[in-house]
Amino acid sequence: MDSVLTNKNPIIYPKRTRRSRTDQSSTDEFSSTNRIRDIKDPEHPELSLEDLNVLTEESVEVDDHKSYVIITFTPTLPHCHLPTHIGLCILVKLVQSLPARFKVDVRVAPGSHDKETTVNKQLGDKERVTAALENPELVALLNKMMQVC
Amino acid sequence: MKLMDKNLGLVEVQKLEGHTDRVWNVAWNPAADGVLASCSADKTVRIWEQSSLTRSWTCKAVLEGTHTRTVKSLAWSPSGKLLATASFDGTTCVWENFATDSESVSVLQVHESEVKSVSWNASGSLLATCGRDKSVWIWEVLPENEFECAAVLTGHSEDVKMVLWHPTMDVLFSCSYDNTIKIWWSEDEYGDYNCVQTLGELNNGHSSTVWSISFNAAGDKMVTCSDDLTVKIWKTDISMMQTGEGYVPW
């Protein structure tokens, strides 16, 4: 991973007041957001995806009945070079926390990134995602992003 | 309609447990009754057999210690004597001797990254493999379980998901993350394979990753499925192709 940051001055958004947790096991929009909002940005590990507005409450669409979750995230810059890592991390976090019946779809917000189609296709390929997650270096990186989450 | 449903319904016979991670593929042994193989992300392959007495299935062998990553797919040779396995570790293994001690007789290590699929031709004289490195390899099966590279086919611009030989002719089909299906044909018996047709978006092909191909027994119909949410059925004039007049497009 190169050490040059593409977004040296990210905009940090004010934290929204968090509603107190009621039922941890429910899979409505709220608890899905809660599991992923604190994922650390790979470039700025002191900031979360929520701080940077990469994820907002609007990012999450859950249909408990049909067992699917769709997450739409917005990279901080259109040419940010790590959208796949962010997307993968969101995917992994949700797959780990949600019941096995759920299908999780993670995609880049339309129009928010140059490589939107490429990234979406990679994140939607279960075989490619599985193979990538067999790479210990990548897993270590993703775990770091999910620390204290 | 209700009566029809009852007759065509599928009933689970048995659940085979043993693998410790996702099971990616299964294959029936074409020559032996009541034998099937499965492969898994747990890096192993299991051979299951049905007891002729009790009709129940048990695990007869676990092929392990050879693949170091997920085993993605597998294929029995037409004789049922050999089993080829394709793994994310980049190798393709060929196994035999299941009754006694399953042995890995050959390890083909040529792909630069994950191997996705493996297929034997109808006579068992050729083996094909494909992978994320975008290439398709054709191997000649020689005596004493030796494999010699007959062709390296480049043409796909992305990860090749599956290869499959035609059921009656030595024509090879491959499908890919590049959204196309490619058909590889050799004019002569010297193994010079060329891509004679590409089924892509512009000629009624798929608009996203093509995952799988399957043929009917006669080989005149093919079905493909894709990330574009469709299943497509294709046809060709197989009798014309079999006369040796040349290739007939799908």
Side-chain angles (χ1 to χ4, degrees), chain B residues 213-232:
Chain B
I213 305 167
S214 185
F215 293 98
N216 64 346
D220 66 335
K221 288 209 184 55
M222 165 174 78
V223 62
T224 58
C225 65
S226 162
D227 183 60
D228 68 7
L229 314 181
T230 72
V231 170
K232 287 182 186 278

Side-chain angles (χ1 to χ4, degrees), chain B residues 58-87:
Chain B
T58 52
C59 182
K60 275 294 184 240
V62 180
L63 311 182
E64 56 189 339
T66 301
H67 285 305
T68 56
R69 285 183 61 183
T70 289
V71 188
K72 174 72 202 337
S73 75
L74 71 189
W76 292 96
S77 65
S79 67
K81 297 205 174 80
L82 299 174
L83 179 68
T85 57
S87 168

Side-chain angles (χ1 to χ4, degrees), chain B residues 65-250:
Chain B
T66 301
H67 285 305
T68 56
R69 285 183 61 183
T70 289
V71 188
K72 174 72 202 337
S73 75
L74 71 189
W76 292 96
S77 65
S79 67
K81 297 205 174 80
L82 299 174
L83 179 68
T85 57
S87 168
F88 284 178
D89 67 10
T91 70
T92 307
C93 286
V94 181
W95 309 76
E96 71 166 1
N97 293 335
F98 308 102
T100 51
D101 238 335
S102 300
E103 206 184 291
S104 161
V105 294
S106 275
V107 179
L108 311 174
Q109 192 154 13
V110 296
H111 284 287
E112 291 167 14
S113 51
E114 297 91 37
V115 189
K116 303 291 176 90
S117 173
V118 62
S119 173
W120 301 85
N121 70 340
S123 61
S125 63
L126 299 170
L127 186 70
T129 61
C130 69
R132 182 165 67 87
D133 64 5
K134 311 169 193 176
S135 69
V136 172
W137 287 64
I138 297 180
W139 303 85
E140 225 181 287
V141 185
L142 304 172
E144 312 290 313
N145 296 316
E146 289 286 313
F147 292 84
E148 193 177 276
C149 172
V152 182
L153 310 172
T154 53
H156 279 297
S157 58
E158 293 277 6
D159 183 11
V160 188
K161 297 299 195 185
M162 181 175 180
V163 277
L164 188 67
W165 287 98
H166 187 270
T168 63
M169 302 180 70
D170 284 345
V171 182
L172 184 65
F173 293 72
S174 59
C175 62
S176 162
Y177 188 95
D178 69 9
N179 310 347
T180 71
I181 297 148
K182 281 184 180 288
I183 302 169
W184 312 86
W185 164 281
S186 173
E187 284 296 333
D188 52 46
E189 69 261 36
Y190 298 108
D192 219 358
Y193 281 83
N194 292 299
C195 177
V196 291
Q197 201 182 1
T198 298
L199 301 173
E201 230 172 324
L202 298 176
N203 49 355
N204 293 313
H206 289 289
S207 55
S208 191
T209 301
V210 187
W211 280 101
S212 188
I213 305 167
S214 185
F215 293 98
N216 64 346
D220 66 335
K221 288 209 184 55
M222 165 174 78
V223 62
T224 58
C225 65
S226 162
D227 183 60
D228 68 7
L229 314 181
T230 72
V231 170
K232 287 182 186 278
I233 300 177
W234 308 80
K235 66 170 190 203
T236 191
D237 190 340
I238 197 72
S239 42
M240 242 197 89
M241 265 218 267
Q242 281 164 339
T243 59
E245 296 280 330
Y247 182 73
V248 179
W250 288 77

Side-chain angles (χ1 to χ4, degrees), chain A residues 1-46:
Chain A
M1 226 178 80
D2 63 29
S3 53
V4 176
L5 302 179
T6 49
N7 192 355
K8 293 204 175 126
N9 299 300
I11 305 168
I12 304 172
Y13 293 80
K15 277 207 193 325
R16 306 211 181 155
T17 36
R18 297 188 179 193
R19 282 152 44 198
S20 55
R21 295 182 189 199
T22 47
D23 177 16
Q24 283 270 10
S25 63
S26 76
T27 22
D28 59 8
E29 270 85 353
F30 171 72
S31 47
S32 286
T33 321
N34 235 31
R35 288 172 175 124
I36 54 180
R37 69 203 303 171
D38 295 323
I39 292 174
K40 305 286 173 263
D41 183 85
E43 279 188 322
H44 302 275
E46 72 283 7

